[in-house]
Amino acid sequence: DVKVTQSSRYLVKRTGEKVFLECVQDMDHENMFWYRQDPGLGLRLIYFSYDVKMKEKGDIPEGYSVSREKKERFSLILESASTNQTSMYLCASSRRTLYGANVLTFGAGSRLTVL
Amino acid sequence: DAKTTQPNSMESNEEEPVHLPCNHSTISGTDYIHWYRQLPSQGPEYVIHGLTSNVNNRMASLAIAEDRKSSTLILHRATLRDAAVYYCILDGSARQLTFGSGTQLTVLP
């Protein structure tokens, strides 16, 4: 069974802490994505990566950075967590295609609370 | 980015068909239409996608209008396990999918 695994299901952090959210996929997918999901706002794309060491900003990159040192792993970093980053974070991956049959496989999500 | 419009919520009775509509009037010629659903406390899961022709798989059917400005996801016999938020998304050449707020489907026993 193919999988996208997010390292933590629930995290509680304090304002100003550095936070790492890890995502690993076992499908040899080229593309990986980080979304956040908030009530009434749907899923919003933070960053995505279409190759190792490559990254592109999504719709809401401010306050976040990412790292993709290996094909299977995509990390989301909050350099200094703030309360407005309390959210559900979702990682996804997909195989590279020439045109948009870009089928995503999502992880179960990481719910982050920043106090 | 091309956008989609869906109703905020819909209700269906168990074991009856459900037709979930989606409008995408600004769709471009190479945009695929994707549907995902999100069950409570889970990440979204892929349901179906298509380009021009109607598509069927074990989960659902996708009916695409001839002008491609709208589409309908069809669940042939709704079960209580189909209660979820359903997202209609356009996938073009940007390699990223933009999710809207989706349609909350309630299935009544």
Side-chain angles (χ1 to χ4, degrees), chain A residues 96-108:
Chain A
R96 177 179 299 148
T97 59
L98 186 59
Y99 291 106
N102 193 15
V103 176
L104 297 182
T105 301
F106 281 86

Side-chain angles (χ1 to χ4, degrees), chain A residues 9 35 37 45 100 102 104, chain B residues 34 36 38 41 91 96-97:
Chain A
R9 194 82 169 92
Y35 290 85
Q37 184 172 31
L45 182 64
N102 193 15
L104 297 182
Chain B
H34 286 243
Y36 286 75
Q38 187 172 20
S41 302
D91 182 14
Q96 54 177 301
L97 300 187

Side-chain angles (χ1 to χ4, degrees), chain A residues 32 44 47 88:
Chain A
M32 296 189 74
R44 294 179 290 167
Y47 268 97
M88 170 69 83

Side-chain angles (χ1 to χ4, degrees), chain B residues 48-74:
Chain B
I48 200 167
H49 77 280
L51 185 61
T52 55
S53 304
N54 295 343
V55 184
N56 300 297
N57 66 21
R58 63 175 180 81
M59 290 181 71
S61 296
L62 175 60
I64 301 172
E66 198 169 331
D67 64 4
R68 302 209 325 125
K69 293 186 177 183
S70 66
S71 61
T72 303
L73 180 71
I74 302 164

